[in-house]
Amino acid sequence: MKIVYFYQYFSTPKGSWGTRVYEFAKRWVAQGHDVTIVTSLYYKSDLTAEKLVEDQEFDGIKVKVLNIGVSNKEPFLKRVGTFLTFAALSSWYALTLKADVVVASSGPLTVGLPGLVARYLRGRKLVFEVRDLWPDISVEIGALKNPVLIGLSRLLEKWCYRAASTIVTLSPGMAEHIRAAHGLDHVISIPNAADNDFWDVTDSTWQPPEWAAGKQIALYTGNIGAINNSTLLFESAVQLMERGREDILVVLIGDGQERTALRDRQQEMGLSTFRILDLMPKTELRHWVQRSLCSVVPLQANPILDTSSPNKLFDSLAAGIPVVQTTQGWIKDFVAESDCGYTISADDPAELVSVLEGLADDPEKRQRMGQNAKEIARTRFDRDALSAQMLEALCHDR
């Protein structure tokens, strides 16, 4: 089967970003399928390009790299411009590439445009993958305010949903939202997955830097910004220092719009319980995750964000460390049922501090939750099983 996958954020494990598409496509290629990814240059990816379009290959996956830079740190309107440019250029490949099925992976929602071109102008089967609920999330956080643009975005969203043979969401919450809001029944959920083999690899020779030696690390990885509730992490670090718990260290690894401001505040206060590290390849990030007290997955309090399926959650499970998170949807239910962590308020740093102290002071509980996390990663979120489910969705005819 020939599969063409439009996705703007493609990365391999050498990058600092999620590898769902890479891992799925690698497995499909190994099974004899022909896979072409059309992507751009996300600043957290390991991809580079010099020409406008470059043909590259990773583990048998054909990748058409459009030399269009995308960064979360850019202003919203500039990002929209890069999204539209990608949609326009990739529509050429929607017309010209041979395909049995085309996947358009959103967000941004504009990635649906080449999918629609392939569906209506070339008669290709379209599978629409929903990573985030666009445009709802942009409206909820105030990034998209113009009523005309909101109306056009909702029209594009509806068009993409109706054109798809199958809608694949990354969480049960997203699937429920789309079914309820649009009255559709061709919606399934295939969540982000745990790369268990990757996280099973350990390096006993690795040592943290001197400032982290002997500390219990509460780790956050990913975008450092308002939507990710980075201030909650900073305020919890302040309270840890005030309570004399300098044995617990809040570490953020990533980049984003609030990174510089938080680092400046940390230096001004001489805050010894808080650190921000640069983006790093997933192969290096693995050392930090495996040796952490827990993984913190904070998001703003928002019903749309409650449907999220963050990669860091699944990495934490596979690494066998407890998860402390703030969403009030499917992840809250999952964490409680699996006994692999805690759900806390998105607005109460004191509650986060209490949980961190409890984990630091109770190694037996920490070990039990970590073991539960690793077990559920293998039984429910294994990458091989979920890639097979995705392949079945690509083969399914409505």
Side-chain angles (χ1 to χ4, degrees), residues 16-87:
S16 305
W17 185 241
T19 56
R20 173 187 174 97
V21 176
Y22 163 80
E23 295 290 351
F24 280 9
K26 181 177 70 172
R27 286 162 172 79
W28 300 339
V29 168
Q31 296 173 46
H33 300 285
D34 184 295
V35 184
T36 300
I37 312 293
V38 182
T39 191
S40 56
L41 294 178
Y42 185 43
Y43 81 118
K44 295 181 181 179
S45 167
D46 58 314
L47 270 61
T48 60
E50 296 182 1
K51 297 181 291 185
L52 177 61
V53 180
E54 289 192 11
D55 289 313
Q56 301 181 16
E57 186 171 312
F58 301 90
D59 295 310
I61 309 165
K62 301 171 186 175
V63 181
K64 287 194 174 294
V65 182
L66 308 187
N67 197 349
I68 303 168
V70 180
S71 171
N72 292 343
K73 296 187 288 186
E74 293 175 340
F76 179 73
L77 288 179
K78 184 175 181 181
R79 292 176 65 200
V80 170
T82 62
F83 296 157
L84 290 172
T85 302
F86 175 82

Side-chain angles (χ1 to χ4, degrees), residues 211 249-253 266 271-277:
W211 52 262
L249 183 61
V250 178
V251 176
L252 282 62
I253 301 178
Q266 181 256 330
L271 189 60
S272 62
T273 52
F274 185 85
R275 285 274 182 158
I276 297 179
L277 302 183

Side-chain angles (χ1 to χ4, degrees), residues 15 18 24 88 95-96 143 146 149 164 168 174-175 257 270 316 337 383 390 398:
F24 280 9
L95 286 170
T96 58
N146 185 295
L149 292 179
V168 177
M174 292 182 200
Q257 292 179 332
S316 306
E337 293 165 1
R383 182 74 76 184
M390 185 68 175
R398 178 160 55 128

Side-chain angles (χ1 to χ4, degrees), residues 95-151:
L95 286 170
T96 58
L97 288 177
K98 294 181 179 179
D100 298 303
V101 60
V102 166
V103 184
S105 188
S106 170
L109 185 58
T110 47
V111 81
L113 292 171
L116 293 173
V117 169
R119 169 69 179 85
Y120 289 112
L121 298 186
R122 294 306 309 270
R124 312 297 192 201
K125 180 168 66 176
L126 172 64
V127 171
F128 193 66
E129 184 176 52
V130 179
R131 294 170 170 268
D132 294 299
L133 290 170
W134 284 56
D136 298 57
I137 191 168
S138 295
V139 174
E140 286 287 336
I141 66 175
L144 185 59
K145 300 178 181 178
N146 185 295
V148 174
L149 292 179
I150 292 173

Side-chain angles (χ1 to χ4, degrees), residues 226-298:
I227 196 172
N228 306 96
N229 211 355
S230 300
T231 301
L232 175 73
L233 302 176
F234 185 87
E235 296 300 333
S236 69
V238 171
Q239 293 194 21
L240 283 168
M241 189 169 74
E242 291 174 347
R243 293 168 70 155
R245 292 306 304 258
E246 295 184 65
D247 59 311
I248 302 174
L249 183 61
V250 178
V251 176
L252 282 62
I253 301 178
D255 202 355
Q257 292 179 332
E258 292 190 349
R259 172 192 166 96
T260 300
L262 289 178
R263 177 173 276 179
D264 289 346
R265 289 180 64 189
Q266 181 256 330
Q267 292 175 349
E268 289 170 5
M269 295 176 64
L271 189 60
S272 62
T273 52
F274 185 85
R275 285 274 182 158
I276 297 179
L277 302 183
D278 293 336
L279 287 168
M280 60 183 68
K282 198 170 181 178
T283 48
E284 183 179 347
L285 179 67
R286 175 168 54 195
H287 303 311
W288 286 93
V289 177
Q290 289 171 333
R291 289 161 177 78
S292 291
L293 168 70
C294 65
S295 172
V296 187
V297 185

